[in-house]
Structures are given as C-alpha cells and as structure tokens.
Amino acid sequence: MENKTILIGGCSYSESQKKFGYRKYDPNKDWIPWTDLLDKEFGNNNTIINVAKGSAGQSTIVSLLTKKLFELNFKVDKVIVQWSSHYRMFGEKEENLLENIHSQGIELLSQKGIDVFTNEYYDKLNQLGYDIVFNSLLQIFLFKNLLKSKGIDYTFFWGWTENTIDLSEYSFLLSEIYDSKFLRYKSTSGKLDGGMHDYANQVLGEDNSEVECGHPNSEAHKVFYNDIIKPILFG
C-alpha cells in the first residue's frame, strides 16, 4: 500500500499513544493501539491521519472527522471509524449518570442515594435516554451517507458492546447503518453487536485482553490489527 490517505476516528480505543512515549512502558497499564501499528508499518509511504480522541462520543468523532474531510477537500482513500459509547453525548463524567438513568431506572438510583429525580420526571428521563441513543445512532447514519455521497470507502466497527441498551428499539435506524462495511462480532450475549474488544476476547480470552483500566492491551490491538485491519486494507 502506497500513496494512500487514510483517515481514522474513534475514542481512546483508537487514539494514538505516542504522546506517552516519554514514560517507561508498562504492559499492565499502557498499550500500543492498532492505529500506531498501522502508522508504524505504512506511515512512511502513506498519509495516515488519526483524529481519534479519548472519551469522544459519536458527536465528537463525527465533528473531528468531518472537519478534517473538509480540510482535505474530501480527497481521502479510506475512512476507518471505531464508534464509541452512546452515552458520551456531553463528556466523560456525564455519561456515568446518564447511563444509570437509562439502564437502571430512578428507583435504583434512589437506593444509591440519588433522590433528586422524582417519579414526576420518570417518563421524561426515559425519553431523554431514548433520545441520547437515537441521536448517537443518527450521527453514524448521517456520516455514513456523507461518505457515500462523496464516494469515499469506509469501514466502521464498535469499540465494545453496549450491554445496557436494548437496541431493538432502534432497529429501523440500525437497518440503515449496518451493512457489509460495518464490522460486527459476537458479544457475550451471543448477538452480533460486539466490537474490537469483543473480537480480542474471543481470540485471547477475557483475562488476557485488557490492561488494568479495562482498555484492550497491546496484544489485543495487535490481534485486531493483523486479523481485521490489514486484510481490509489489502483485501
């Protein structure tokens, strides 16, 4: 592969870790992401642009990618996107509360000492949870159609499985998003709703695929890069 321009988006699962090179590498805490492996092997003869950013949700991912596409006048050979958590609508901290509201309900939150939400707002909060996931998927749908309108090849995949969400409510939108270019893997539920972390778990085992903070470790990234990313680029 030579003289190609590849644009990459995602969250910390795909963010370059080169900026942490000043400290001693600890395999239990640090990882070499698949994006850095790609850049190391093919960056000299190609233009690899990685705008993935830690804690980014779909809105941030799409915003960074779209801005870069305009800067490049849409002259890109391939776009690879690792999609993130649906709950990262506002920022890293808000997602924890929003996820609890959507998946656990007000009653359980009250048991945890969070009683600022009364039953009066129950339906509104459920609607908020629905809207957050809907708009997350809508970002993917719109970005996919932008790429198609510009004739740009793409590959999508999830970073991990959102086990707390019943996505059957969004089947009308997922049917438009999922295609042969959206890679999916079996999750612990047995459904094809898993991402790169789920794939690594299948190959390496759940006990061998993570660093202490829960991110995929270097071996997981290496497996995903060699098994999935390289065949896509050379297939």
Side-chain angles (χ1 to χ4, degrees):
M1 182 176 71
E2 293 185 355
N3 301 318
K4 300 293 184 181
T5 299
I6 301 174
L7 178 60
I8 301 167
C11 65
S12 55
Y13 273 47
S14 300
E15 183 180 26
S16 174
Q17 298 296 301
K18 294 177 183 178
K19 60 186 177 184
F20 300 121
Y22 61 87
R23 71 187 184 196
K24 185 177 180 181
Y25 175 81
D26 183 344
N28 295 314
K29 297 180 179 180
D30 306 310
W31 63 91
I32 301 172
W34 67 270
T35 49
D36 285 352
L37 295 175
L38 174 64
D39 189 51
K40 180 180 180 180
E41 187 169 2
F42 297 105
N44 289 334
N45 299 317
N46 300 274
T47 302
I48 312 293
I49 304 171
N50 183 7
V51 298
K53 182 179 180 181
S55 298
Q58 266 61 281
S59 293
T60 299
I61 291 171
V62 169
S63 177
L64 291 171
L65 286 168
T66 304
K67 182 174 182 292
K68 184 58 66 174
L69 283 170
F70 274 103
E71 290 176 3
L72 298 170
N73 198 27
F74 292 91
K75 297 187 184 307
V76 174
D77 296 290
K78 180 84 170 181
V79 173
I80 304 177
V81 188
Q82 167 260 307
W83 297 109
S84 183
S85 168
H86 298 296
Y87 296 109
R88 286 176 169 172
M89 183 177 181
F90 304 107
E92 184 177 8
K93 300 301 180 183
E94 290 91 341
E95 70 167 12
N96 298 325
L97 179 59
L98 292 170
E99 182 170 0
N100 285 334
I101 292 171
H102 188 274
S103 64
Q104 299 180 33
I106 295 172
E107 291 82 1
L108 188 54
L109 284 174
S110 297
Q111 294 173 18
K112 295 181 178 181
I114 303 175
D115 56 3
V116 294
F117 302 113
T118 65
N119 287 331
E120 179 182 354
Y121 299 106
Y122 187 85
D123 291 339
K124 292 182 179 179
L125 288 171
N126 280 340
Q127 185 60 47
L128 172 63
Y130 180 89
D131 289 344
I132 287 171
V133 178
F134 174 80
N135 281 287
S136 171
L137 294 172
L138 183 62
Q139 293 289 325
I140 300 173
F141 170 75
L142 294 174
F143 187 68
K144 170 187 173 180
N145 280 278
L146 171 64
L147 296 178
K148 291 179 69 174
S149 72
K150 296 296 184 179
I152 299 175
D153 189 26
Y154 63 90
T155 294
F156 292 168
F157 55 89
W158 297 114
W160 63 94
T161 306
E162 292 279 12
N163 291 318
T164 62
I165 303 174
D166 179 11
L167 289 178
S168 62
E169 295 182 272
Y170 314 93
S171 59
F172 63 96
L173 195 49
L174 287 170
S175 65
E176 297 292 332
I177 292 172
Y178 286 155
D179 58 15
S180 61
K181 295 180 181 295
F182 200 122
L183 310 181
R184 293 179 289 156
Y185 307 96
K186 279 190 177 181
S187 65
T188 53
S189 68
K191 299 178 181 178
L192 279 176
D193 57 359
M196 64 173 289
H197 205 155
D198 299 272
Y199 179 82
N201 286 343
Q202 292 174 25
V203 177
L204 301 173
E206 293 185 24
D207 295 333
N208 303 309
S209 65
E210 297 180 356
V211 294
E212 291 177 359
C213 68
H215 283 80
N217 60 22
S218 292
E219 190 60 30
H221 280 276
K222 183 179 179 180
V223 163
F224 190 76
Y225 173 66
N226 287 324
D227 291 0
I228 306 300
I229 298 299
K230 287 181 70 172
I232 287 172
L233 295 175
F234 295 99

